[in-house]
Protein backbone atom coordinates (compact mmCIF):
# COMPACT_ATOMS: atom_id res chain seq x y z
CA UNK A 1 0.00 0.00 0.00
CA UNK A 2 1.18 3.51 -0.75
CA UNK A 3 2.06 5.79 2.17
CA UNK A 4 -0.14 8.78 3.07
CA UNK A 5 0.68 12.17 1.57
CA UNK A 6 3.93 13.62 2.89
CA UNK A 7 3.23 17.09 4.26
CA UNK A 8 6.52 17.57 6.09
CA UNK A 9 7.49 20.22 3.55
CA UNK A 10 4.92 22.55 5.13
CA UNK A 11 7.36 23.18 7.95
CA UNK A 12 10.59 23.15 5.95
CA UNK A 13 10.17 25.30 2.85
CA UNK A 14 8.83 28.61 4.07
CA UNK A 15 5.50 30.41 4.40
CA UNK A 16 4.87 30.79 0.65
CA UNK A 17 5.12 27.05 0.16
CA UNK A 18 2.85 26.38 3.14
CA UNK A 19 0.29 28.88 1.85
CA UNK A 20 0.27 27.20 -1.57
CA UNK A 21 -0.25 23.76 -0.02
CA UNK A 22 -3.11 25.12 2.07
CA UNK A 23 -4.65 26.45 -1.15
CA UNK A 24 -4.64 22.96 -2.67
CA UNK A 25 -1.40 22.94 -4.65
CA UNK A 26 0.64 19.73 -4.55
CA UNK A 27 4.39 19.34 -3.95
CA UNK A 28 6.35 17.16 -6.33
CA UNK A 29 6.65 14.30 -3.85
CA UNK A 30 2.85 14.07 -3.58
CA UNK A 31 2.44 14.14 -7.36
CA UNK A 32 5.01 11.35 -7.60
CA UNK A 33 3.01 9.37 -5.05
CA UNK A 34 -0.28 9.86 -6.89
CA UNK A 35 1.00 9.11 -10.39
CA UNK A 36 3.78 6.60 -9.76
CA UNK A 37 6.26 8.78 -11.69
CA UNK A 38 9.26 9.61 -9.54
CA UNK A 39 10.41 13.17 -8.96
CA UNK A 40 13.58 12.77 -11.03
CA UNK A 41 11.52 11.76 -14.07
CA UNK A 42 9.01 14.58 -13.55
CA UNK A 43 11.85 17.11 -13.50
CA UNK A 44 13.35 15.59 -16.65
CA UNK A 45 10.00 15.77 -18.45
CA UNK A 46 9.80 19.45 -17.56
CA UNK A 47 13.41 20.38 -18.25
CA UNK A 48 14.11 18.38 -21.39
CA UNK A 49 10.74 18.16 -23.12
CA UNK A 50 8.44 20.79 -21.62
CA UNK A 51 5.78 18.15 -21.03
CA UNK A 52 4.66 19.74 -17.77
CA UNK A 53 5.13 23.29 -16.54
CA UNK A 54 4.50 23.48 -12.79
CA UNK A 55 4.08 26.70 -10.86
CA UNK A 56 7.02 27.87 -8.76
CA UNK A 57 7.24 29.50 -5.36
CA UNK A 58 9.50 32.55 -4.96
CA UNK A 59 12.16 30.10 -3.75
CA UNK A 60 11.76 27.95 -6.86
CA UNK A 61 9.89 24.98 -5.40
CA UNK A 62 7.59 23.22 -7.86
CA UNK A 63 3.84 23.19 -7.28
CA UNK A 64 1.27 21.14 -9.17
CA UNK A 65 -2.51 21.29 -9.54
CA UNK A 66 -5.10 18.67 -10.49
CA UNK A 67 -4.71 19.56 -14.18
CA UNK A 68 -1.00 18.81 -13.98
CA UNK A 69 -1.75 15.42 -12.45
CA UNK A 70 -4.23 14.65 -15.22
CA UNK A 71 -1.68 15.68 -17.86
CA UNK A 72 0.90 13.36 -16.30
CA UNK A 73 -1.59 10.49 -16.41
CA UNK A 74 -2.23 11.27 -20.09
CA UNK A 75 1.52 11.23 -20.72
CA UNK A 76 1.67 7.80 -19.10
CA UNK A 77 -1.12 6.60 -21.37
CA UNK A 78 0.88 7.56 -24.46
CA UNK A 79 4.09 6.07 -23.08
CA UNK A 80 2.34 2.81 -22.29
CA UNK A 81 1.16 2.70 -25.92
CA UNK A 82 4.78 2.70 -26.98
CA UNK A 83 5.19 6.37 -27.87
CA UNK A 84 8.68 7.68 -27.12
CA UNK A 85 8.85 10.49 -24.59
CA UNK A 86 10.36 12.81 -27.22
CA UNK A 87 7.17 12.46 -29.30
CA UNK A 88 4.55 12.90 -26.60
CA UNK A 89 4.38 16.70 -26.51
CA UNK A 90 3.11 17.03 -30.07
CA UNK A 91 0.36 14.53 -29.26
CA UNK A 92 -0.65 16.49 -26.17
CA UNK A 93 -0.60 19.90 -27.84
CA UNK A 94 -1.88 19.08 -31.34
CA UNK A 95 -3.35 15.55 -31.48
CA UNK A 96 -2.58 14.13 -34.91
CA UNK A 97 -1.06 11.13 -36.61
CA UNK A 98 2.70 11.01 -36.24
CA UNK A 99 4.72 11.12 -39.43
CA UNK A 100 7.43 8.78 -38.13
CA UNK A 101 7.23 5.42 -36.36
CA UNK A 102 6.57 5.90 -32.64
CA UNK A 103 8.76 2.94 -31.76
CA UNK A 104 11.86 4.36 -33.42
CA UNK A 105 13.39 5.77 -30.22
CA UNK A 106 12.85 2.47 -28.44
CA UNK A 107 14.54 0.65 -31.29
CA UNK A 108 17.55 2.95 -31.13
CA UNK A 109 17.84 2.39 -27.38
CA UNK A 110 17.52 -1.36 -27.78
CA UNK A 111 20.22 -1.44 -30.45
CA UNK A 112 22.52 0.61 -28.21
CA UNK A 113 22.03 -1.89 -25.40
CA UNK A 114 22.49 -4.88 -27.69
CA UNK A 115 25.78 -3.48 -28.94
CA UNK A 116 26.90 -2.81 -25.36
CA UNK A 117 26.18 -6.43 -24.44
CA UNK A 118 28.12 -7.80 -27.41
CA UNK A 119 31.10 -5.63 -26.43
CA UNK A 120 30.73 -6.37 -22.69
CA UNK A 121 30.58 -2.59 -22.28
CA UNK A 122 29.12 -2.30 -18.80
CA UNK A 123 29.46 1.48 -18.55
CA UNK A 124 27.56 2.04 -21.80
CA UNK A 125 24.92 -0.46 -20.73
CA UNK A 126 24.54 1.18 -17.34
CA UNK A 127 24.59 4.78 -18.56
CA UNK A 128 22.01 4.09 -21.27
CA UNK A 129 19.63 2.41 -18.84
CA UNK A 130 20.16 5.16 -16.25
CA UNK A 131 19.23 7.80 -18.83
CA UNK A 132 16.11 5.85 -19.79
CA UNK A 133 15.17 5.40 -16.13
CA UNK A 134 15.24 9.17 -15.70
CA UNK A 135 12.69 9.59 -18.50
CA UNK A 136 10.34 6.62 -18.24
CA UNK A 137 8.41 4.96 -15.40
CA UNK A 138 9.44 1.37 -14.62
CA UNK A 139 6.38 -0.20 -16.25
CA UNK A 140 6.96 1.61 -19.55
CA UNK A 141 10.68 0.92 -19.53
CA UNK A 142 10.13 -2.75 -18.80
CA UNK A 143 7.46 -3.20 -21.47
CA UNK A 144 9.10 -1.30 -24.31
CA UNK A 145 12.82 -1.74 -23.70
CA UNK A 146 14.00 -4.29 -21.15
CA UNK A 147 11.68 -7.19 -21.95
CA UNK A 148 12.15 -6.77 -25.74
CA UNK A 149 15.91 -6.56 -25.16
CA UNK A 150 15.95 -9.86 -23.25
CA UNK A 151 13.78 -11.51 -25.91
CA UNK A 152 16.11 -10.35 -28.68
CA UNK A 153 19.15 -11.53 -26.77
CA UNK A 154 17.61 -14.98 -26.31
CA UNK A 155 17.17 -15.24 -30.07
CA UNK A 156 20.71 -14.04 -30.66
CA UNK A 157 22.11 -16.63 -28.28
CA UNK A 158 20.68 -19.64 -30.10
CA UNK A 159 23.76 -21.50 -31.35
CA UNK A 160 25.88 -18.36 -31.10
CA UNK A 161 29.54 -18.69 -30.11
CA UNK A 162 30.09 -16.50 -27.05
CA UNK A 163 26.45 -16.76 -26.02
CA UNK A 164 27.18 -17.96 -22.50
CA UNK A 165 29.71 -15.17 -22.00
CA UNK A 166 27.15 -12.54 -23.02
CA UNK A 167 24.40 -14.19 -20.98
CA UNK A 168 26.45 -14.26 -17.78
CA UNK A 169 27.56 -10.68 -18.37
CA UNK A 170 24.10 -9.19 -18.88
CA UNK A 171 22.35 -11.34 -16.26
CA UNK A 172 24.98 -10.45 -13.66
CA UNK A 173 24.68 -6.77 -14.51
CA UNK A 174 20.89 -6.88 -14.38
CA UNK A 175 20.84 -8.64 -11.01
CA UNK A 176 23.29 -6.14 -9.54
CA UNK A 177 21.44 -3.18 -11.04
CA UNK A 178 17.94 -4.02 -9.92
CA UNK A 179 19.00 -5.85 -6.78
CA UNK A 180 20.62 -2.63 -5.56
CA UNK A 181 17.47 -0.64 -6.29
CA UNK A 182 15.30 -3.15 -4.47
CA UNK A 183 17.69 -3.13 -1.51
CA UNK A 184 17.71 0.66 -1.20
CA UNK A 185 13.92 0.85 -1.53
CA UNK A 186 13.54 -1.83 1.14
CA UNK A 187 15.61 0.27 3.54
CA UNK A 188 13.00 3.04 3.34
CA UNK A 189 9.95 0.81 3.86
CA UNK A 190 8.46 -0.89 6.89
CA UNK A 191 5.40 -2.70 5.51
CA UNK A 192 5.03 -6.45 4.88
CA UNK A 193 7.24 -7.83 2.13
CA UNK A 194 6.39 -9.63 -1.06
CA UNK A 195 8.46 -12.82 -1.27
CA UNK A 196 9.80 -13.65 -4.74
CA UNK A 197 11.50 -16.99 -5.37
CA UNK A 198 13.46 -18.24 -8.35
CA UNK A 199 11.68 -21.56 -8.80
CA UNK A 200 14.00 -22.99 -11.45
CA UNK A 201 17.62 -24.02 -11.80
CA UNK A 202 18.36 -20.97 -13.97
CA UNK A 203 20.79 -18.81 -12.00
CA UNK A 204 20.39 -15.03 -12.03
CA UNK A 205 16.89 -15.34 -13.56
CA UNK A 206 16.57 -11.91 -15.25
CA UNK A 207 12.78 -11.75 -15.37
CA UNK A 208 12.63 -12.46 -11.64
CA UNK A 209 14.68 -9.32 -11.04
CA UNK A 210 12.57 -7.26 -13.44
CA UNK A 211 9.51 -8.41 -11.51
CA UNK A 212 11.17 -7.50 -8.21
CA UNK A 213 12.01 -4.03 -9.54
CA UNK A 214 8.48 -3.41 -10.81
CA UNK A 215 6.98 -4.43 -7.47
CA UNK A 216 9.52 -2.39 -5.54
CA UNK A 217 8.68 0.68 -7.64
CA UNK A 218 5.22 0.71 -6.03
CA UNK A 219 6.80 1.19 -2.58
CA UNK A 220 6.26 -2.44 -1.69
CA UNK A 221 9.27 -4.04 0.00
CA UNK A 222 10.52 -7.16 -1.76
CA UNK A 223 12.47 -10.17 -0.53
CA UNK A 224 14.14 -12.13 -3.34
CA UNK A 225 15.35 -15.70 -2.90
CA UNK A 226 17.36 -16.50 -6.01
CA UNK A 227 17.07 -20.26 -5.50
CA UNK A 228 14.16 -22.68 -4.96
CA UNK A 229 12.98 -23.64 -1.47
CA UNK A 230 11.58 -27.01 -0.36
CA UNK A 231 7.99 -27.13 0.85
CA UNK A 232 8.56 -26.90 4.58
CA UNK A 233 11.12 -24.13 4.30
CA UNK A 234 8.90 -22.03 2.03
CA UNK A 235 6.24 -22.04 4.74
CA UNK A 236 8.90 -21.19 7.32
CA UNK A 237 10.15 -18.25 5.23
CA UNK A 238 6.61 -16.90 4.81
CA UNK A 239 6.03 -17.13 8.56
CA UNK A 240 9.31 -15.43 9.45
CA UNK A 241 8.82 -12.62 6.95
CA UNK A 242 5.08 -12.26 7.55
CA UNK A 243 4.94 -11.98 3.77
CA UNK A 244 1.98 -10.30 2.10
CA UNK A 245 2.30 -12.75 -0.79
CA UNK A 246 4.55 -15.31 -2.50
CA UNK A 247 5.55 -15.28 -6.16
CA UNK A 248 7.33 -18.26 -7.71
CA UNK A 249 9.08 -17.32 -10.95
CA UNK A 250 10.28 -19.85 -13.50
CA UNK A 251 11.18 -19.56 -17.16
CA UNK A 252 11.44 -23.34 -17.47
CA UNK A 253 9.23 -26.39 -17.05
CA UNK A 254 8.52 -27.24 -13.42
CA UNK A 255 7.65 -30.36 -11.43
CA UNK A 256 3.90 -29.98 -11.01
CA UNK A 257 3.53 -33.12 -8.90
CA UNK A 258 5.11 -31.32 -5.94
CA UNK A 259 3.34 -27.99 -6.39
CA UNK A 260 0.35 -28.66 -4.14
CA UNK A 261 2.58 -29.83 -1.30
CA UNK A 262 4.77 -26.77 -1.77
CA UNK A 263 1.96 -24.21 -1.68
CA UNK A 264 -0.84 -25.69 0.42
CA UNK A 265 0.93 -24.77 3.65
CA UNK A 266 1.25 -21.14 2.57
CA UNK A 267 -1.63 -19.05 3.88
CA UNK A 268 -0.93 -15.78 2.04
CA UNK A 269 -1.80 -15.06 -1.64
CA UNK A 270 0.31 -16.98 -4.14
CA UNK A 271 1.36 -16.49 -7.75
CA UNK A 272 3.24 -18.54 -10.32
CA UNK A 273 4.83 -16.42 -13.02
CA UNK A 274 7.07 -16.81 -16.03
CA UNK A 275 7.23 -18.91 -19.17
CA UNK A 276 6.37 -21.97 -17.08
CA UNK A 277 2.77 -20.69 -17.11
CA UNK A 278 2.74 -21.00 -20.91
CA UNK A 279 4.43 -24.41 -20.79
CA UNK A 280 1.94 -25.84 -18.28
CA UNK A 281 -1.05 -23.62 -19.02
CA UNK A 282 -3.80 -26.24 -18.82
CA UNK A 283 -2.42 -27.97 -15.73
CA UNK A 284 -1.71 -24.74 -13.86
CA UNK A 285 -5.13 -23.36 -14.71
CA UNK A 286 -6.60 -26.39 -12.93
CA UNK A 287 -4.30 -25.75 -9.97
CA UNK A 288 -5.82 -22.30 -9.47
CA UNK A 289 -9.07 -23.97 -8.41
CA UNK A 290 -7.37 -26.62 -6.29
CA UNK A 291 -4.93 -24.31 -4.46
CA UNK A 292 -6.47 -21.42 -2.55
CA UNK A 293 -5.64 -17.86 -3.63
CA UNK A 294 -3.35 -18.89 -6.49
CA UNK A 295 -3.00 -16.77 -9.64
CA UNK A 296 -0.88 -17.01 -12.78
CA UNK A 297 1.12 -14.54 -14.87
CA UNK A 298 3.21 -15.14 -17.97
CA UNK A 299 5.81 -12.38 -17.57
CA UNK A 300 6.98 -9.61 -15.21
CA UNK A 301 4.55 -7.02 -16.53
CA UNK A 302 1.46 -9.21 -16.24
CA UNK A 303 2.60 -10.29 -12.76
CA UNK A 304 2.95 -6.64 -11.74
CA UNK A 305 -0.49 -5.72 -13.11
CA UNK A 306 -2.09 -8.78 -11.51
CA UNK A 307 -0.68 -7.89 -8.11
CA UNK A 308 -1.98 -4.34 -8.44
CA UNK A 309 -5.41 -5.63 -9.43
CA UNK A 310 -5.47 -7.92 -6.40
CA UNK A 311 -4.51 -5.05 -4.10
CA UNK A 312 -1.28 -6.72 -3.01
CA UNK A 313 0.93 -3.81 -4.07
Amino acid sequence: MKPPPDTSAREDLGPDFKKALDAGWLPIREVARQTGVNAVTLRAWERRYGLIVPQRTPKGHRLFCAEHVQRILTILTWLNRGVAVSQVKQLLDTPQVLTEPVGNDWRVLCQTLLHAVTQLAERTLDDTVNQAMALYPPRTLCEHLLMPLLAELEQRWQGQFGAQMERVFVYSWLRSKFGARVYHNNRQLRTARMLLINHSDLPLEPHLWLTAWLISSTDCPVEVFDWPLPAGELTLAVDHLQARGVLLYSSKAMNLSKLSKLLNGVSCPKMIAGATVCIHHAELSEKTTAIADLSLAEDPLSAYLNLIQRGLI
Side-chain angles (χ1 to χ4, degrees):
M1 297 178 63
K2 292 187 179 296
D6 185 347
T7 58
S8 60
R10 293 174 183 268
E11 302 176 358
D12 301 331
L13 301 177
D16 292 321
F17 196 77
K18 180 181 183 300
K19 184 178 180 180
L21 296 186
D22 290 339
W25 290 88
L26 302 173
I28 194 168
R29 72 187 76 182
E30 174 61 15
V31 174
R33 188 192 73 83
Q34 289 187 19
T35 63
V37 182
N38 65 51
V40 172
T41 298
L42 291 173
R43 294 187 189 102
W45 286 358
E46 174 193 358
R47 183 176 62 254
R48 295 181 61 177
Y49 300 105
L51 291 177
I52 45 176
V53 184
Q55 295 292 321
R56 298 276 189 146
T57 69
K59 291 186 176 181
H61 299 297
R62 292 172 175 83
L63 294 168
F64 299 80
C65 63
E67 287 75 14
H68 288 124
V69 172
Q70 186 56 52
R71 185 174 174 90
I72 291 166
L73 295 176
T74 303
I75 293 168
L76 287 175
T77 298
W78 284 114
L79 294 179
N80 289 332
R81 290 172 178 167
V83 177
V85 67
S86 61
Q87 298 173 315
V88 169
K89 192 173 190 299
Q90 60 184 302
L91 290 170
L92 295 173
D93 296 342
T94 54
Q96 57 187 342
V97 178
L98 294 178
T99 58
E100 57 183 296
V102 297
N104 184 58
D105 285 5
W106 292 116
R107 189 64 198 152
V108 170
L109 278 174
C110 192
Q111 288 300 313
T112 300
L113 294 178
L114 281 169
H115 183 71
V117 171
T118 63
Q119 300 300 307
L120 306 186
E122 182 177 9
R123 177 166 293 184
T124 301
L125 185 64
D126 205 51
D127 288 348
T128 303
V129 170
N130 284 342
Q131 291 167 15
M133 281 180 164
L135 296 177
Y136 296 99
R139 172 187 170 178
T140 305
L141 197 61
C142 188
E143 180 177 4
H144 296 290
L145 181 62
L146 297 176
M147 287 172 57
L149 171 68
L150 290 173
E152 191 156 344
L153 284 170
E154 282 298 332
Q155 291 183 352
R156 168 183 166 78
W157 291 334
Q158 301 305 312
Q160 172 82 23
F161 178 72
Q164 186 66 2
M165 174 190 70
E166 292 181 6
R167 182 181 285 109
V168 171
F169 167 74
V170 74
Y171 285 8
S172 298
W173 168 83
L174 193 147
R175 185 189 188 280
S176 297
K177 181 74 173 177
F178 295 111
R181 287 183 172 262
V182 168
Y183 170 80
H184 287 299
N185 282 352
N186 282 350
R187 297 283 291 176
Q188 310 301 318
L189 303 168
R190 294 291 182 269
T191 53
R193 298 191 176 198
M194 178 68 65
L195 175 58
L196 274 63
I197 298 176
N198 181 359
H199 197 65
S200 74
D201 58 0
L202 178 65
L204 308 174
E205 165 62 78
H207 294 91
L208 172 76
W209 288 100
L210 285 185
T211 306
W213 174 54
L214 286 171
I215 295 172
S216 180
S217 73
T218 67
D219 288 339
C220 170
V222 179
E223 189 73 39
V224 180
F225 287 3
D226 206 352
W227 200 258
L229 290 180
E233 293 184 22
L234 173 58
T235 304
L236 184 64
V238 170
D239 290 343
H240 280 327
L241 293 169
Q242 294 294 295
R244 68 174 72 188
V246 172
L247 187 153
L248 305 181
Y249 204 101
S250 178
S251 295
K252 303 173 71 174
M254 61 193 304
N255 186 344
L256 297 181
S257 64
K258 297 182 179 180
L259 188 61
S260 294
K261 181 180 179 182
L262 179 69
L263 294 179
N264 278 335
V266 177
S267 58
C268 63
K270 299 165 280 288
M271 176 183 286
I272 298 172
T276 193
V277 173
C278 300
I279 297 169
H280 304 292
H281 185 267
E283 299 95 327
L284 286 175
S285 295
E286 292 181 3
K287 294 288 186 183
T288 59
T289 60
I291 300 175
D293 216 358
L294 174 66
S295 62
L296 308 175
E298 296 180 0
D299 56 47
L301 189 60
S302 57
Y304 163 78
L305 295 174
N306 182 293
L307 291 171
I308 290 177
Q309 185 178 30
R310 297 173 72 188
L312 290 173
I313 59 175

